[in-house]
Amino acid sequence: MGALILQQTINALTVGSIYALIALGYTMVYGVLRLINFAHSELFTAGAFIGLALAGALGIAGHPTGGLLVGLITFVLVGLVGVSVEIVAYRPLRGTSRLAPMLSALGMAVVIQNAVMLIGGRRPMIYPSFLPSGAIDVFGAVVSYKQITIFLVAVVLMVGLELFVNRTNLGVRIRAVAENAETASLVGINPNMAISLIFFIGPGLGAVAGILYSSFYGVATFTMGFVIGMKAFTAAILGGIGSIPGAVLGGFLLGAIETFGTAWMPVLTGGVIGTEYRDIFAFSVLVLILLFRPAGLLGEHVSEETRVYKSDF
């Protein structure tokens, strides 16, 4: 029993790492623009396909040592796509109702998904692993080097993001714009620069998550971003939308709920509910958190200006 629990914990950390990386993109954009960037999930998919194309072009497909180079280039390329999406689809709609940017985000999600389909094809793509092979035994649980690598990469990126936002001059500018863009502009901060930086970092992290996800499972499809993106969005809400620590917490918690639920539900229901129903756990969490704690576990991160706006209603 102890080995089984440890094994599921390891699996939960692996899945949770990917959810957390994607959730950071959602929460960063919401923290600055109060916008749910539905196109973010498709940039996760685009990252996986761009990584695959780069690996083939550079002749390093399936080589773990080339994974770092592919990850860095893909981060930059998808980050630039994210900036372009913000300039084209969101920036002209600032100051309008919240419905207009949301519809624009949904439209961009469809555009990016169809672009990936046209370029990459409809069929699932066999994905070469950029992660090291092999495994070790830890108290009866099997821990693969792939799982260790995914967790370590995610932790390094999440810690790096936290330090960047809180310890650098650019991070201060981003937080100032998130608090009040108009006031920030009065003290010489360019809100467009800060917002573009957010749309560069968030999709970049999502792209790395796409490479890690596809490398781990060995397959990539042009539709995979929808379900994974919804789960990451659930993780962001669970932890507290707009909060970077909340996105990380929500990602790992959702990974644990889904993993342990998938492992134990068939046993508890006598096989009535099988592992094919694993998605039900994430979306059940979404419904419950919206009903009973819509601000999330750590609370929704909003500026003082937004609090005053809400209090007026």
Side-chain angles (χ1 to χ4, degrees):
M1 180 64 69
L4 178 60
I5 293 175
L6 179 59
Q7 183 69 68
Q8 297 307 324
T9 301
I10 294 166
N11 295 339
L13 289 174
T14 305
V15 176
S17 297
I18 294 173
Y19 289 164
L21 281 178
I22 307 171
L24 285 170
Y26 283 111
T27 206
M28 289 172 68
V29 171
Y30 184 85
V32 175
L33 291 180
R34 310 296 178 259
L35 166 69
I36 303 300
N37 181 21
F38 289 109
H40 183 63
S41 60
E42 305 310 323
L43 293 173
F44 157 83
T45 304
F49 277 82
I50 290 174
L52 180 61
L54 283 172
L58 298 175
I60 55 176
H63 294 279
T65 53
L68 179 60
L69 177 61
V70 170
L72 288 173
I73 298 176
T74 303
F75 185 106
V76 173
L77 292 178
V78 177
L80 292 176
V81 173
V83 173
S84 300
V85 168
E86 189 275 325
I87 293 174
V88 172
Y90 303 146
R91 188 172 297 181
L93 299 176
R94 285 186 208 162
T96 62
S97 67
R98 292 192 179 187
L99 180 61
M102 185 177 298
L103 293 175
S104 182
L106 290 171
M108 285 305 305
V110 174
V111 169
I112 295 171
Q113 183 184 94
N114 280 271
V116 173
M117 179 192 70
L118 291 173
I119 297 172
R122 291 175 175 270
R123 296 181 179 180
M125 303 284 288
I126 302 301
Y127 209 90
S129 179
F130 296 105
L131 305 174
S133 58
I136 57 176
D137 184 276
V138 180
F139 301 111
V142 178
V143 185
S144 69
Y145 293 136
K146 291 182 179 181
Q147 291 175 308
I148 295 173
T149 304
I150 288 174
F151 178 72
L152 290 179
V153 169
V155 168
V156 168
L157 290 174
M158 289 184 288
V159 171
L161 176 63
E162 180 70 15
L163 293 175
F164 172 78
V165 171
N166 292 292
R167 302 290 180 85
T168 67
N169 182 265
L170 287 175
V172 171
R173 291 170 181 266
I174 290 173
R175 288 189 284 120
V177 172
E179 186 67 26
N180 191 307
E182 185 177 350
T183 301
S185 65
L186 292 176
V187 296
I189 297 175
N190 185 351
N192 287 331
M193 183 275 292
I195 293 170
S196 293
L197 189 57
I198 287 294
F199 274 89
F200 178 81
I201 296 173
L205 293 175
V208 173
I211 294 175
L212 294 175
Y213 178 88
S214 297
S215 292
F216 185 71
Y217 291 104
V219 66
T221 66
F222 76 94
T223 59
M224 68 181 188
F226 176 74
V227 174
I228 303 300
M230 285 299 294
K231 291 180 180 180
F233 177 56
T234 300
I237 294 177
L238 175 61
I241 191 75
S243 167
I244 291 177
V248 175
L249 174 63
F252 284 116
L253 278 179
L254 187 63
I257 293 169
E258 181 179 291
T259 301
F260 280 97
T262 303
W264 290 105
M265 192 56 69
V267 178
L268 297 176
T269 61
V272 175
I273 299 180
T275 56
E276 65 270 18
Y277 292 99
R278 64 180 300 160
D279 294 342
I280 196 175
F281 298 104
F283 298 121
S284 296
V285 169
L286 177 60
V287 172
L288 292 173
I289 200 72
L290 289 175
L291 286 175
F292 299 107
R293 192 173 175 80
L297 297 177
L298 299 186
E300 178 184 354
H301 180 77
V302 296
S303 66
E304 186 64 32
E305 178 186 17
T306 306
R307 291 192 187 95
V308 172
Y309 173 80
K310 288 184 175 181
S311 67
D312 290 339
F313 293 90

